[in-house]
Amino acid sequence: MTNDEIKVSKRKRKVSKFFRLTDEEDLRLHVKMGKAHAPSFQYYARKMCLDGKVMRVDYGDIRDLTRAVNRIGVNINQIAHVLNTTGNFYAQELETLKSEHDELCRLIRNSIREHLRAIRLEEDI
């Protein structure tokens, strides 16, 4: 047995993995390694493969919430149309209802943006 074969046989990690990168991907990889303060590529790749997060976000609930809020807005507009033709509603109450709906929509949009920022921050490492 040669010295190299002895070294390989004593290794704790004997399985090798191989993949190819473009120059741009290699640069991105080194930037991410730097942000993570990784001492070596082997360390970084092993940690990311074994412990890293691959995130799949389900936006179904957010989509359903957005649809519900939009239906509320449609209902408000229908009420406004009926009340404008019959005259049995105060314009001030309608404006308050519309502004509350607009505020709700704004809060939902901001919440979604914050959620997406948090996901991007996790992906940057």
Side-chain angles (χ1 to χ4, degrees):
M1 234 187 220
T2 67
N3 281 344
D4 287 338
E5 290 172 328
I6 293 170
K7 286 179 186 177
V8 170
S9 68
K10 290 182 178 182
R11 285 184 182 163
K12 177 180 173 183
R13 295 180 178 97
K14 297 178 183 179
V15 177
S16 296
K17 298 293 180 188
F18 178 80
F19 64 96
R20 297 179 190 276
L21 299 171
T22 65
D23 290 336
E24 293 80 17
E25 291 168 334
D26 188 49
L27 179 61
R28 284 183 52 210
L29 176 64
H30 284 283
V31 168
K32 288 184 176 201
M33 284 174 55
K35 287 180 180 179
H37 302 287
S40 68
F41 168 73
Q42 182 176 330
Y43 169 84
Y44 180 79
R46 186 172 46 253
K47 291 299 280 178
M48 288 305 293
C49 287
L50 297 175
D51 302 332
K53 294 180 183 177
V54 175
M55 299 179 69
R56 184 170 182 241
V57 181
D58 179 12
Y59 293 106
D61 292 342
I62 293 173
R63 233 179 281 117
D64 294 343
L65 177 63
T66 303
R67 283 188 192 118
V69 170
N70 286 336
R71 281 194 301 273
I72 292 168
V74 169
N75 290 342
I76 291 171
N77 287 335
Q78 289 173 345
I79 291 168
H81 178 71
V82 169
L83 295 175
N84 283 333
T85 57
T86 63
N88 294 333
F89 197 75
Y90 295 104
Q92 180 64 33
E93 291 178 42
L94 179 61
E95 287 305 314
T96 301
L97 197 56
K98 283 183 178 181
S99 68
E100 288 174 359
H101 175 260
D102 291 343
E103 177 67 11
L104 181 59
C105 289
R106 187 186 66 74
L107 290 172
I108 290 170
R109 279 192 306 273
N110 289 343
S111 177
I112 292 169
R113 283 188 195 115
E114 290 294 321
H115 182 70
L116 291 174
R117 277 190 206 109
I119 291 171
R120 285 189 197 112
L121 288 175
E122 287 181 18
E123 290 175 350
D124 284 343
I125 293 179

